[in-house]
Amino acid sequence: MSAFIEETTNRLLPRIVLIACGSFSPPTPMHLRMFEIAKDHFEVNGTHKVIGGIVSPTHDSYGKKGLAAAKHRCAMIKLALQSSSWIRLSDWETQQDGWSRTKSVLQYHQNFMNNYINSPDVNTTMSGDDCLPGWLPNNLRVRKDPVQLKLLCGADMLESFAVPGLWSDADIEDIVAHHGLVVITRSGANPERFIFDSDVLTKYQRNITLVTNWVPNDVSSTVIRRLLARGQSVKYLINDMVIEYIRQNGLFQCKTNPLDNCRNSAILCCGDKHSLMNKLGENP
């Protein structure tokens, strides 16, 4: 009986999908770990049911230092997500004509899910799209109630709202008012003070969920790129398949000593290269 009650209660919880936007050059474990931390928070508190996660890498025209080509970033994200059953890649941003504002990215994914849920045809949306994207969460149509898309980010993005000229006030208000934020913070941080100092964030603070990460991981993409450029090991810092992909494609000025190059070439010739391509859905 208790299992039945729990299942019924879960069905009634508001459904949310988490989306993280950024460079992911390369993707690190913490980029993906944030999804699990947020999902645990909502499950433990019993306030929402997380039904999907989306990783949305930015367009090449964003122009950030160290930004690998979108095709490589998407490939690395796919490899890093091999073990996840609920977090998926969306390459929509990378396929646009130029850089997209975060507000537009959220609107696109939210509208697509709304259209899909309300479409009478199982395999199409209300706009007539008959090719469903891979990022779309499973079982969206199990219920007809709305699904809320929330922006998942670290405290650094929250604080970036205060950087002059970086965000428009209208975009910040739209994101927080219509979607909401899930902010992963470090122990000892004080995001509440930052929210208090912002009139817009204070106005919509009910839409901001603060989650403390009690197991910090400071390994950033910048650190990974620096180590690779110096020829130093990044093993156990990022996914092994991502490391192999970086080496295969010579990304981030990756340097290895001659013995490592010979060893890696031998491994790839013996099948690892084909294995990576199969995991990416490509033919050798």
Side-chain angles (χ1 to χ4, degrees):
M1 179 63 73
S2 60
F4 173 78
I5 294 175
E6 181 180 0
E7 184 179 355
T8 303
T9 303
N10 286 338
R11 283 204 195 102
L12 298 177
L13 292 176
R15 300 185 298 168
I16 59 174
V17 172
L18 305 172
I19 184 169
C21 301
S23 299
F24 307 104
S25 187
T28 69
M30 195 58 203
H31 284 141
L32 309 181
R33 178 67 188 151
M34 288 200 306
F35 284 91
E36 298 290 344
I37 295 170
K39 188 170 185 282
D40 281 348
H41 173 84
F42 288 114
E43 288 185 353
V44 168
N45 286 278
T47 57
H48 296 79
K49 184 174 181 61
V50 179
I51 63 170
I54 303 169
V55 180
S56 181
T58 191
H59 193 273
D60 284 343
S61 63
Y62 183 58
K64 184 178 180 180
K65 182 179 179 181
L67 189 67
K71 68 175 183 179
H72 292 311
R73 288 181 286 124
C74 287
M76 288 187 287
I77 291 169
K78 281 184 179 179
L79 291 171
L81 289 174
Q82 286 289 317
S83 63
S84 177
S85 62
W86 66 281
I87 311 170
R88 299 179 178 183
L89 164 73
S90 169
D91 64 356
W92 179 82
E93 268 193 84
T94 68
Q95 300 299 316
Q96 303 311 297
D97 293 333
W99 171 75
S100 300
R101 305 172 81 89
T102 303
K103 167 186 171 181
S104 300
V105 177
L106 297 179
Q107 286 177 338
Y108 164 76
H109 289 87
Q110 181 69 73
N111 291 341
F112 196 102
M113 288 191 293
N114 291 345
N115 288 337
Y116 177 69
I117 291 172
N118 295 317
S119 173
D121 191 324
V122 173
N123 297 313
T124 64
T125 65
M126 291 187 71
S127 58
D129 298 319
D130 56 2
C131 184
L132 299 178
W135 59 262
L136 203 64
N138 290 330
N139 302 321
L140 272 179
R141 284 177 165 160
V142 170
R143 290 160 42 179
K144 285 297 184 180
D145 57 305
V147 172
Q148 183 73 45
L149 183 69
K150 289 184 175 290
L151 179 60
L152 176 67
C153 64
D156 54 343
M157 177 178 282
L158 181 71
E159 293 171 1
S160 75
F161 288 164
V163 177
L166 188 60
W167 296 83
S168 74
D169 290 340
D171 279 12
I172 295 175
E173 183 158 8
D174 184 272
I175 290 170
V176 183
H178 298 127
H179 300 283
L181 300 175
V182 180
V183 185
I184 308 300
T185 70
R186 302 180 186 185
S187 172
N190 191 10
E192 293 90 350
R193 176 71 194 192
F194 186 82
I195 293 172
F196 173 80
D197 289 338
S198 167
D199 291 338
V200 173
L201 296 181
T202 298
K203 181 179 179 180
Y204 298 105
Q205 61 183 322
R206 67 184 182 280
N207 294 338
I208 302 175
T209 302
L210 301 176
V211 184
T212 300
N213 173 24
W214 296 106
V215 187
N217 181 338
D218 294 329
V219 179
S220 66
S221 296
T222 301
V223 170
I224 296 299
R225 293 195 302 268
R226 183 179 300 132
L227 292 174
L228 289 170
R230 293 175 180 175
Q232 295 178 303
S233 172
V234 295
K235 190 171 179 63
Y236 307 120
L237 295 180
I238 57 175
N239 185 286
D240 279 351
M241 289 186 291
V242 172
I243 296 174
E244 211 58 66
Y245 184 91
I246 290 170
R247 286 175 173 164
Q248 286 182 34
N249 292 277
L251 304 179
F252 312 122
Q253 302 175 352
C254 178
K255 296 178 181 178
T256 55
N257 65 50
L259 291 177
D260 281 343
N261 283 334
C262 291
R263 180 181 60 81
N264 290 331
S265 296
I267 291 174
L268 291 176
C269 287
C270 291
D272 270 22
K273 184 175 182 180
H274 288 177
S275 175
L276 277 183
M277 295 177 76
N278 287 335
K279 289 180 181 299
L280 290 170
E282 301 174 357
N283 294 320

